[in-house]
Every structure is written in C-alpha cells, then in structure tokens.
C-alpha cells in the first residue's frame, strides 16, 4: 500500500497491520504522521480536554539484583549508596503530596532481595489505614515477578495478596521493548521475558485492576521491533481491555553501562504518533515531558497525546541518567492551555476530578523535583529488623 492509501485507512477509522505501520513510520513525513495521530486523538477525545494527575513518583529502594544495562538508578546489594525508604519517610512524602492536591503514589523500586512480600503488604496496609482513599499505583510487572520468585508464589497469588493489602493498579514499567532479542541485549530478559511481562498484566486485568503500558525505545531495537512491541500491547488490549494508557519514553544513556546517545525529539514525536495510530484500542496516550522536556512535551499534544502525565513532585530514575525536567501544576496547565486545550485534573482511571487545583486554593509552587532522600542520608529504617533479609549484607545490617 502507498502512504496515501494507508492514510486513507487510518482516516476511515480502520485498523492497520504491521507492514502498513512500518511503511507509515518509515516513509510518512513527520507533519503527516502528526496530522493522522491528531485526527485519531481528536476522534477519541473530541472535547479538546487534556488531562494530568497530581501524584508522586516514589522509589522505595534502589537496591536491585536485575542489573539492566540501560539503568543508571540501581545499586547492587551491599553498595554504600543503596537505600530502602522507611515507612515514616513514605508517610511524609504522602503528606507533602496531599498538600499539593495529590491523589496517589506511583511506587516502584529495585528488585531488593532483602524486602520480602510481607514488607510490601505491611506498607500498603499502613498507607491505606492512614490515608483511606489515597491510591497505590504500584509495582511494575518485573517487581511482581521478583516477588513471586522470592515468595515462591504464583503471579496471581502475589497479585491477590497485594490487592488484599491495598494495591489499586499496576504501572507499566519494565516493558522496555517486548521482544526477547532486545531484552537479552539489554540484560533485562532475566527480570521478565516479553511473555512474562504481558502475563502479569493479563493476570492483573483478570483480577480487576486497570494498568498502564509503557515503551522505552532508542537502545538496540529496530523499527520493526518497536512496532512489534505496539502490536503485542494491542493484542493484549483486545483480549482484556485492561490498559488505561500508553506511555513512551526515550532511553536516557547518561551514567549507564550501555551508554550511547539519546533519541531525538523528532524520533520521539514520530514514535508517539505511530503509537497513537497503531494502538487504536487505547484511549489515552501520555506526553513524556520528564524525558523530553516541557517544549517537546507540549508538542506531543499535536502528535497524539491527550494527557500530560503526572505533576510528579519527585523523580529519581531519569535524573540518575542525567535528565532533570520539572513542571509543577501551574507550568503543566500553562503548557496545555497555550496549546489550545482545556486542562483538567484526573485520577488513575482517567476520570476527571476537576479544574486545576491552584485555581481553587493556594498551593506551594514546586520549582524543583524532590529526590528519594537528602544526599548523605544513609539511615536504615527501624522496621527493617522485622523482616528477614536474604543477602549477607542485609543480614548484617539487621543484626
Ligand atoms: S531498570 Fe529496574 S529492574 Fe532494571 S536494574 Fe534498574 S531498577 Fe533494577
């Protein structure tokens, strides 16, 4: 098919397959990809509303045994820079989040062998008891798999226990590219193969949770593999309908073992646009201003995105790779409105909560993203003594 014929198929609201998607992705001029993606976005969201959520991205530990070669965030077991946040530290972060109008934590971390499943259950229960109504968007599929190996329980068994303790939804992290050739090269096939990642999401959807899906592109994958990733997500969405949103971001090479260069802004916009066209069964696509900066983030709204993601408050993973962009609610709303859309706050299910909160009440400006911990804070939370450690280093600190 020619580009014109494929464009007509998209305009007619029909699904395109792998070869048409590749033709479009490789051959269509950027303005044309954007035009088609914008058309699909407008069809799904005719009201010219762009949403965002106020939440906090908390990384409860940076200790990880997975050792993905694209990751600048993790520290090996026994590293002097390794940390685990205490329950009290997490409560303080929730207090600050609520003060800014936040409604949930995005809680993710390394695969720390010294945190058993009971630690997560106790944390979730303590949060829910203290902050009823506050939501936990927590533990990406590889973390769930890590816990299932640690606890010797099935994935549905782990999910059931986490849901009982207060898990509300599963973030789509750790997907990278859902092609095992790529995962092997990134040294992340051990934490989850493509099928295993998809299977956690399948089980989460069956258990009644809504989840997101992500893609980290710009490492070693081919264009065909980026599209294979999208098609695998589309197939699971056909099966379960459980994904709320898709988020793509570019690999951040700073301080990583893999190194290399970062994909360009045009590559990002083209990838976002083709995702909007291929993922015809996803309602929401987020703009990744955290990796692309505010200006490309704003442009994303013309390339298929209908959501500005999260105000975020705290960020540790992308910052570890050298990128640090900050937008508080005022700045996010300014970018949305300047692009010709109405800005609305939402929850994790993409239900509208209301107008920008800073127009309803006084909220402090946030001109810098917080970090997990202040530099030099190497305290060990007291409650860790209650949980059996597996590593020698973990056992020593808990004696
Ligand atoms: S990406 Fe996640 S799983 Fe991989 S090394 Fe980093 S923290 Fe660990």
């Amino acid at each position: 098919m020619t580009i014109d014929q494929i464009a007509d198929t998209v305009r007619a609201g029909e699904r395109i397959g792998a070869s048409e998607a590749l033709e479009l992705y490789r051959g269509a001029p950027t303005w044309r990809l954007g035009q088609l993606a914008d058309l699909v976005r407008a069809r799904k969201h005719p009201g010219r509303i762009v949403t965002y959520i106020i939440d906090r991205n908390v990384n409860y530990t940076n200790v990880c045994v997975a050792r993905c070669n694209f990751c600048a965030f993790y520290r090996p077991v026994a590293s002097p820079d390794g940390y685990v946040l205490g329950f009290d530290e997490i409560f303080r972060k929730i207090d600050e989040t609520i003060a800014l109008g936040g409604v949930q934590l995005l809680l993710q971390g390394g695969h720390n062998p010294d945190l058993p499943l009971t630690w997560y259950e106790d944390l979730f229960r303590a949060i829910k008891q203290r902050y009823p109504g506050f939501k936990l968007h927590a533990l990406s599929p590889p973390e769930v798999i890590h816990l299932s190996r640690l606890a010797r329980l099935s994935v549905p068994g782990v999910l059931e226990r986490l849901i009982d303790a207060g898990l509300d939804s599963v973030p789509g992290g750790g997907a990278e590219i859902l092609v095992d050739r790529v995962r092997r090269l990134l040294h992340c096939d051990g934490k989850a193969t493509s099928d295993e990642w998809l299977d956690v999401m399948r089980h989460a959807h069956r258990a009644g949770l809504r989840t997101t899906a992500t893609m980290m592109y710009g490492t070693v994958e081919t264009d065909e593999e980026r599209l294979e990733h999208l098609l695998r997500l589309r197939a699971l969405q056909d099966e379960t309908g459980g994904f709320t949103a898709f988020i793509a971001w570019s690999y951040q090479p700073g301080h990583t073992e893999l190194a290399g260069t970062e994909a360009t802004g045009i590559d990002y916009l083209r990838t976002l646009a083709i995702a909007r066209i291929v993922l015809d069964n996803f309602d929401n696509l987020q703009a990744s201003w955290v990796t692309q900066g505010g200006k490309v983030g704003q442009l994303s709204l013309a390339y298929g995105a209908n959501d500005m993601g999260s105000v975020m408050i705290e960020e540790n993973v992308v910052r570890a790779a050298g990128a640090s962009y900050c937008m508080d609610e005022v700045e996010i709303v300014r970018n949305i409105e300047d692009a010709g859309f109405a800005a609305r706050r939402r929850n994790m299910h993409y239900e509208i909560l209301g107008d920008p909160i800073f127009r309803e009440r006084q909220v402090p400006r946030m001109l810098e993203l917080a970090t997990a911990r202040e530099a030099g804070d190497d305290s060990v939370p007291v409650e860790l003594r209650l949980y059996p450690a597996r590593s020698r280093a973990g056992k020593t600190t808990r004696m």
Side-chain angles (χ1 to χ4, degrees):
M1 277 171 109
T2 64
I3 300 278
D4 282 342
Q5 287 168 325
I6 302 166
D8 285 345
T9 307
V10 174
R11 268 195 292 271
E14 289 165 24
R15 176 168 278 193
I16 60 168
S19 58
E20 289 92 15
L22 185 64
E23 191 67 33
L24 207 54
Y25 191 34
R26 283 207 178 138
T30 303
W31 65 266
R32 190 142 197 215
L33 266 181
Q35 202 176 50
L36 287 173
D38 194 49
L39 181 140
V40 178
R41 195 256 332 136
R43 204 148 45 201
K44 285 185 182 285
H45 301 277
R48 292 202 71 76
I49 286 174
V50 166
T51 46
Y52 62 93
I53 189 166
I54 305 177
D55 71 356
R56 185 164 186 153
N57 193 350
V58 172
N59 302 108
Y60 54 90
T61 181
N62 63 349
V63 175
C64 189
V65 290
R67 308 180 81 131
C68 309
N69 62 14
F70 58 83
C71 177
F73 168 70
Y74 84 89
R75 294 293 176 271
V77 172
S79 162
D81 298 331
Y83 73 82
V84 176
L85 295 180
F87 288 10
D88 281 342
E89 284 174 283
I90 295 174
F91 297 154
R92 257 199 316 279
K93 288 172 187 288
I94 295 175
D95 289 334
E96 289 166 9
T97 307
I98 291 172
L100 290 168
V103 290
Q104 73 171 22
L105 280 195
L106 166 54
L107 191 66
Q108 300 180 107
H111 301 184
N112 187 332
D114 296 325
L115 295 179
L117 180 56
T118 47
W119 181 88
Y120 296 83
E121 291 178 298
D122 291 348
L123 174 65
F124 288 10
R125 286 211 166 87
I127 290 173
K128 288 295 181 167
Q129 196 175 21
R130 225 177 148 111
Y131 308 96
F134 195 79
K135 299 293 180 192
L136 287 172
H137 182 44
L139 308 188
S140 61
E143 290 166 272
V144 173
I145 292 168
H146 163 73
L147 285 175
S148 101
R149 290 170 184 161
L150 215 57
R152 300 200 180 144
L153 273 175
S154 65
V155 163
V158 170
L159 285 170
E160 192 185 325
R161 284 193 35 187
L162 293 170
I163 292 168
D164 273 357
L167 177 68
D168 293 297
S169 75
V170 174
E176 331 313 353
I177 294 285
L178 292 170
V179 174
D180 288 339
R181 182 197 79 87
V182 176
R183 302 185 76 78
R184 278 192 293 277
L185 290 172
L186 297 181
H187 199 249
C188 68
D189 57 322
K191 72 176 180 183
T193 62
S194 309
D195 284 346
E196 285 171 335
W197 189 96
L198 289 161
D199 223 38
V200 174
M201 288 311 196
R202 184 176 285 110
H203 285 302
H205 297 165
R206 282 184 188 153
L209 298 185
R210 303 299 303 279
T211 77
T212 56
T214 67
M215 170 165 89
M216 183 198 70
Y217 68 92
T219 55
V220 297
E221 80 284 351
T222 62
D223 291 347
E224 287 90 339
E225 286 166 335
R226 288 186 193 184
L227 294 170
E228 188 177 336
H229 176 95
L230 297 177
L231 291 167
R232 295 207 74 183
L233 292 176
R234 185 170 82 178
L236 183 57
Q237 181 75 329
D238 278 344
E239 185 187 321
T240 66
F243 290 117
T244 52
F246 172 78
I247 311 120
W249 61 79
S250 56
Y251 162 57
Q252 304 293 306
H255 312 295
T256 65
E257 184 189 331
L258 183 65
T261 49
E262 189 188 344
T264 64
I266 291 293
D267 193 359
Y268 173 72
L269 293 173
R270 293 182 67 84
T271 303
L272 177 69
I274 198 68
R276 175 53 99 183
I277 294 164
V278 171
L279 296 176
D280 55 2
N281 51 4
F282 277 65
D283 287 338
N284 303 294
L285 261 71
Q286 284 186 20
S288 178
W289 60 263
V290 179
T291 56
Q292 308 303 315
K295 292 185 172 62
V296 175
Q298 186 189 34
L299 264 180
S300 305
L301 302 180
Y303 283 78
N306 66 296
D307 185 273
M308 279 296 261
S310 161
V311 167
M312 208 157 262
I313 305 173
E314 172 174 337
E315 206 292 316
N316 304 289
V317 175
V318 173
R319 180 198 305 256
S324 182
Y325 295 109
C326 176
M327 286 211 283
D328 66 357
E329 192 195 22
V330 172
E331 194 55 21
I332 284 186
V333 169
R334 191 171 76 89
N335 274 276
I336 293 172
E337 291 178 347
D338 189 57
F341 295 92
R344 296 284 184 276
R345 271 181 302 124
R346 65 160 171 88
N347 62 16
M348 65 166 58
H349 292 129
Y350 288 76
E351 295 155 344
I352 305 280
L353 296 179
D355 290 338
I357 207 146
F358 69 85
R359 292 197 175 130
E360 291 174 7
R361 64 175 164 87
Q362 191 85 17
V363 281
R365 290 298 309 267
M366 197 191 60
L367 303 175
E368 215 174 274
L369 287 172
T371 50
R373 273 187 162 176
E374 297 291 325
D377 180 356
D378 56 1
S379 58
V380 178
V382 281
E383 72 272 356
L384 273 191
R385 290 172 189 275
L386 301 173
Y387 303 93
R390 282 174 65 107
S391 76
R392 185 179 299 174
K395 284 177 183 149
T396 311
T397 45
R398 286 176 205 186
M399 277 183 345

